[in-house]
């Protein structure tokens, strides 16, 4: 199997697994919120992990709220973070976990604006300026750091500066960006940031919302008051520890990973472009290192992948594949529904080798060649 779907989920790093295993054994029993030595040991491990999550995002440990993943983190930020009487602005290319909150916000009476993007998927800060001018204060702005389908990176610092001029709170879904790019909340002017373990070579089932004052979303769940009342529930020690190690490794490796994976992505693009006339690349060229989204006009990407079972690649958004709907991101970039269905997303990662890239390109080209009508 050639795994080129790292944007859907990254494999667990062996160091993360090693760090988690002791906390899954029977002798590690202990509720981290309990007042006895077993509980204190677990609590200490979790606090260390919280520090690593904070360090990756350029925040303070006390600003990290562990969640079950980025979907929950985004919901907490949006459904809990729009103040009474305030509005909300998001981009048209946000992940479904952001866009899915909008009907509820509208139902609660909050005005909502969805910003268009240009042909590469980028939000124009001037468009945010006009949208905020038309909304009541205070408002929440949420724009992702990098897109999960086409890899386009947003001008977050500029967008946050516009939000600040309007007195709005700035949140970003940074799920895809953190493994290969440096993102520090204070430097960018972010008040909220969502991340996910399984996009960072960490475990599935854990993520975090990082909240910097004065942002304090209203919690969605009632319960034992854990995590300063922001997210009730017993913390899962092995998952928190795993996320902490994954964040530490990401901080140490993101620059080198970004360079190496970007070179692999360029190699893959070159091999496809040289052999498939008519192929087009979607998204900005200076986007996420691990993302290559292409349209091969005339193909049905879902059918093509049936002939390539040894290749793990996505059609449109992995979270949507199987739904049969053209990707909302590709449509927002201006692609037709037919071209969206003719698009493939390659997600390269830390373990992707040049040999894998070459073989993936060879196999794809071979299947397309064999499907051509004989002369
Ligand atoms: N945000 C983005 C940009 C994503 O790519 C994903 C997952 O695909 C999510 C949020 C949801 O993350 P999780 O699987 O942790 O809920």
């Amino acid at each position: 199997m050639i795994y080129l779907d790292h944007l859907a989920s990254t494999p667990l790093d062996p160091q993360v697994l090693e760090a988690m295993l002791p906390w899954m054994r029977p002798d590690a029993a202990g509720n981290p919120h309990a007042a006895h030595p077993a509980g204190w040991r677990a609590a200490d491990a979790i606090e260390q992990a919280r520090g690593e999550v904070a360090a990756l995002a350029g925040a303070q440990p006390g600003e990290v709220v562990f969640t079950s993943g980025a979907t929950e983190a985004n919901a907490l930020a949006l459904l809990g973070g729009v103040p009474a009487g305030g509005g909300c602005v998001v981009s048209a290319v946000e992940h479904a976990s952001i866009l899915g909150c909008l009907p509820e916000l509208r139902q609660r009476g909050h005005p909502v604006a969805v910003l268009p993007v240009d042909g590469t998927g980028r939000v124009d800060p001037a468009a945010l300026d006009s949208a905020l001018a038309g909304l009541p204060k205070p408002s929440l702005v949420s724009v992702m750091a990098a897109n999960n389908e086409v890899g386009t990176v947003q001008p977050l610092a500029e967008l946050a500066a516009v939000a600040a001029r309007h007195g709005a709170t700035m949140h970003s879904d940074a799920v895809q960006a953190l493994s290969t790019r440096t993102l520090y909340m204070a430097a960018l002017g972010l008040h909220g940031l969502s991340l996910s373990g399984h996009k960072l070579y960490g475990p599935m089932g854990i993520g975090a919302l990082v909240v910097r004052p004065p942002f304090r979303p209203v919690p969605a769940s009632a319960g034992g008051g854990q995590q300063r009342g922001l997210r009730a529930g017993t913390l899962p020690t092995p998952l928190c520890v795993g996320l902490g190690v994954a964040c530490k490794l990401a901080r140490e490796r993101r620059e080198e990973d970004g360079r190496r994976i970007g070179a692999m992505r360029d190699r893959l693009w070159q091999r496809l472009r040289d052999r498939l006339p008519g192929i087009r690349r979607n998204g900005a060229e200076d986007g996420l290192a691990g993302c290559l989204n292409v349209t091969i006009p005339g193909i049905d990407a879902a059918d093509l992948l049936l002939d390539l079972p040894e290749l793990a690649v996505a059609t449109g958004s992995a979270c949507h594949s199987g739904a049969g709907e053209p990707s909302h991101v590709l449509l927002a970039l201006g692609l037709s529904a037919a071209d969206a269905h003719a698009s493939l997303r390659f997600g390269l990662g830390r373990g992707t080798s040049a040999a894998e890239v070459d073989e993936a390109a060879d196999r794809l080209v071979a299947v397309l060649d064999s499907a051509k009508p004989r002369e």
Side-chain angles (χ1 to χ4, degrees):
M1 167 68 70
I2 304 176
Y3 188 76
L4 293 179
D5 203 15
H6 288 79
L7 280 78
S9 196
T10 47
L12 203 62
D13 188 284
Q15 288 189 51
V16 172
L17 179 62
E18 281 306 305
M20 288 172 67
L21 282 175
W23 293 101
M24 300 173 102
R25 299 214 169 95
D27 61 2
N31 186 318
H33 312 286
H36 51 63
W40 296 330
R41 269 194 298 277
D44 281 350
I46 288 175
E47 287 321 300
Q48 204 181 326
R50 204 185 286 281
E52 293 296 349
V53 177
L56 182 67
Q60 298 301 316
E63 297 168 347
V64 174
V65 183
F66 288 112
T67 62
S68 61
T71 298
E72 186 192 340
N74 285 341
L76 177 57
L78 263 80
L79 297 178
V82 183
C88 178
V89 186
V90 305
S91 88
V93 294
E94 296 301 309
H95 186 261
S97 54
I98 294 280
L99 297 178
C101 295
L102 303 185
E104 168 74 19
L105 288 174
R106 287 194 182 100
Q107 211 179 349
R108 290 185 198 168
H110 297 289
V112 170
V114 179
L115 300 173
V117 291
D118 68 14
T120 69
R122 199 167 278 136
V123 175
D124 181 358
L128 175 62
D129 198 29
S130 328
L132 283 170
L135 287 182
K137 285 185 191 176
S139 295
L140 177 76
V141 176
S142 182
V143 176
M144 68 204 323
N147 185 263
N148 51 303
E149 295 190 44
V150 293
T152 301
V153 173
Q154 300 295 350
L156 274 191
E158 283 175 68
L159 294 169
V162 172
R165 274 208 302 282
H166 289 269
T169 301
M170 183 79 198
H171 165 262
S172 183
D173 171 348
V175 161
Q176 296 290 350
L178 289 166
S179 61
T180 50
R181 301 180 85 95
T182 300
L183 241 109
Y184 289 137
M185 292 177 74
L188 290 167
L190 298 180
H191 305 102
L193 176 145
S194 301
L195 58 89
S196 172
H198 73 112
K199 314 283 180 168
L200 279 169
Y201 307 89
M204 285 176 159
I206 183 134
L209 177 67
V210 189
V211 281
R212 295 178 59 238
F215 188 37
R216 191 180 160 85
V218 178
S221 51
Q226 292 94 344
Q227 302 202 82
R228 295 180 292 127
L230 276 172
R231 203 274 194 159
T234 305
L235 283 170
T237 312
L239 298 181
C240 294
V241 167
L243 180 62
V245 175
C247 286
K248 177 172 182 287
L249 293 176
R251 193 157 48 87
E252 290 166 0
R253 295 184 187 175
R254 61 190 162 193
E255 274 186 36
E256 168 60 21
D257 276 357
R259 267 194 300 275
R260 206 191 63 76
I261 298 168
M264 291 296 144
R265 185 238 4 234
D266 292 346
R267 181 183 180 107
L268 177 60
W269 172 229
Q270 200 181 342
R271 282 178 185 244
L272 295 176
R273 192 187 46 191
D274 288 350
R275 292 150 77 192
L276 298 173
I279 190 171
R280 292 194 300 267
R281 185 163 167 189
N282 301 312
E285 299 239 332
D286 59 352
L288 271 188
C291 183
L292 178 67
N293 190 307
V294 298
T295 301
I296 307 172
I299 68 158
D300 183 311
D303 281 353
L304 178 75
L305 290 187
L306 293 178
D307 292 328
L308 287 163
E310 65 290 347
L311 208 60
V313 172
T315 62
S317 167
C319 304
H320 287 124
S321 60
E325 292 294 320
S327 141
H328 73 280
V329 172
L330 296 178
L331 296 183
L333 265 63
L335 271 72
S336 65
D339 278 352
H341 284 303
S343 299
L344 290 170
R345 180 194 67 180
F346 298 89
L348 291 71
R350 202 177 267 168
T352 305
S353 66
E356 283 181 311
V357 160
D358 294 354
E359 192 174 337
D362 287 349
R363 287 184 184 224
L364 179 63
V365 171
V367 167
L368 287 168
D369 278 350
S370 69
K372 275 191 196 146
R374 304 248 171 259
E375 323 239 296

